[in-house]
Amino acid sequence: MDASALAAFLHSRRDRLRPGDVGLTAGPRRRVPGLRREEVAFLANASIDYYIELERGRGVQPSVQMLLALARALRLTGDERAHLFHLAGHPAPPPGEPSRETDPSLLALLERLDGTPARIMTDLLQPLAQNRLAAELLGELDPVGEPGYAQSTVYRWFTDPSARAIYPAEDHERHAQSFVADTRATVARRALAGGAAEAEKMIADLLDRSEEFARVWGAWNVAVRRFDRKRLVHPAIGRIELECHHLFTEDGGQRLLWLAPIEGTDAAEKLAKLSG
């Protein structure tokens, strides 16, 4: 373990972050540009004294669990996490399955998107959180946090007819193609990171349950969904067409989806009516 290098590395990663990056409020009496030590300790669920000793290079030997918590708190990239483990004298563990814990940065953005429908999802399109306008437009979320892939938008699209109810029938094939192409990209990325078990199980289940999915999957199309246009039919506001944007976390494990009005249409007025 290189205690002095570990201390310097932790300090440098703390300095580059801002409270808003991790879902914290800066407050009016802030004297440091980055996060405070106590804020990192809070985010990592560590004692303040323990984290101070780490940054002072006093030879404290962090456990694997503590290193993982610090990597999450400091929003380290895969390379930075591996370097953190190296400095602490531990082999870096494989990434494994993406976390289902909602990314704080995406959550902070979601809380600021009051006038547009927005939803946070995993890379398998499992909903994690959404704002009120998204609930009004897309429907309430099922209980969040349960294990498995049954709540994935992709899985429900091919196994639950009600998942398609708000989309015009003539758009169903296009959405099916888009969902599958995006999912193929997710499976490949997870496999490369060593954590594709859940995704592969979902694919196997869908191949067994849905002839439509098997047909589209067999085309081998692959494309990450970054931008799209969606037409929806809502009982209160009728048909509405919106731009669909995706913002990804650095590891690709989660995304923020928001639906914006298209200029020159009545979508903004309809969303305003829906928001009440």
Side-chain angles (χ1 to χ4, degrees):
M1 173 178 168
D2 190 336
S4 61
L6 176 63
F9 183 64
L10 289 171
H11 192 172
S12 71
R13 300 306 88 185
R14 175 168 65 86
D15 277 353
R16 72 174 180 175
L17 291 174
R18 299 296 179 267
D21 297 334
V22 294
L24 299 176
T25 302
R29 297 174 58 85
R30 194 168 198 88
R31 296 180 180 178
V32 295
L35 296 181
R36 298 187 178 105
R37 288 171 174 173
E38 57 265 30
E39 289 171 334
V40 176
F42 168 75
L43 293 169
N45 196 28
S47 74
I48 297 174
D49 290 340
Y50 178 86
Y51 183 76
I52 289 174
E53 290 299 296
L54 277 178
E55 275 208 14
R56 287 177 176 172
R58 296 290 176 83
V60 177
Q61 179 74 53
S63 66
V64 169
Q65 290 74 22
M66 178 54 61
L67 291 171
L68 288 171
L70 289 170
R72 289 193 297 268
L74 294 168
R75 305 297 182 262
L76 299 188
T77 66
D79 290 339
E80 289 172 335
R81 188 182 77 149
H83 187 62
L84 176 71
F85 272 76
H86 171 73
L87 294 176
H90 289 287
E97 298 283 357
S99 173
R100 289 292 303 276
E101 182 179 351
T102 307
D103 182 87
S105 298
L106 294 187
L107 193 58
L109 286 173
L110 177 69
E111 292 171 352
R112 289 164 172 77
L113 292 173
D114 294 329
T116 186
R119 173 180 285 183
I120 299 174
M121 299 179 291
T122 70
D123 55 354
L124 287 180
L125 304 191
Q126 296 153 299
L128 298 175
Q130 66 179 7
N131 61 15
R132 186 179 65 84
L133 193 51
E136 294 288 345
L137 181 66
L138 304 174
E140 296 286 350
L141 296 182
D142 291 330
V144 173
E146 296 180 4
Y149 49 76
Q151 293 175 8
S152 163
T153 300
V154 179
Y155 186 80
R156 294 187 64 243
W157 181 267
F158 291 100
T159 60
D160 181 0
S162 68
R164 308 186 180 200
I166 63 173
Y167 299 97
E170 60 268 26
D171 292 349
H172 288 182
E173 176 65 19
R174 182 175 68 84
H175 288 312
Q177 296 278 351
S178 180
F179 281 138
V180 172
D182 185 83
T183 302
R184 187 175 284 282
T186 294
V187 174
R189 184 188 55 77
R190 283 198 179 195
L192 186 62
E198 180 186 25
E200 291 172 348
K201 186 176 180 181
M202 185 182 82
I203 299 307
D205 193 353
L206 284 171
L207 288 171
D208 183 61
R209 295 190 58 178
S210 171
E211 292 183 1
E212 180 189 16
F213 177 84
R215 171 181 60 81
V216 181
W217 183 258
W220 282 89
N221 293 324
V222 55
V224 177
R225 299 183 75 189
R226 297 181 176 90
F227 174 81
D228 196 0
R229 285 194 173 190
K230 285 189 174 183
R231 297 190 299 174
L232 300 95
V233 181
H234 190 276
I237 59 175
R239 182 168 294 207
I240 183 172
E241 186 171 0
L242 300 164
E243 291 181 343
C244 179
H245 301 268
H246 296 256
L247 176 66
F248 298 84
T249 54
E250 186 170 0
D251 64 358
Q254 293 183 19
R255 67 181 70 184
L256 173 66
L257 160 72
W258 75 95
L259 301 168
I262 298 173
E263 188 175 352
T265 71
D266 61 353
E269 289 79 5
K270 288 184 174 181
L271 286 180
K273 178 182 177 182
L274 193 62
S275 65

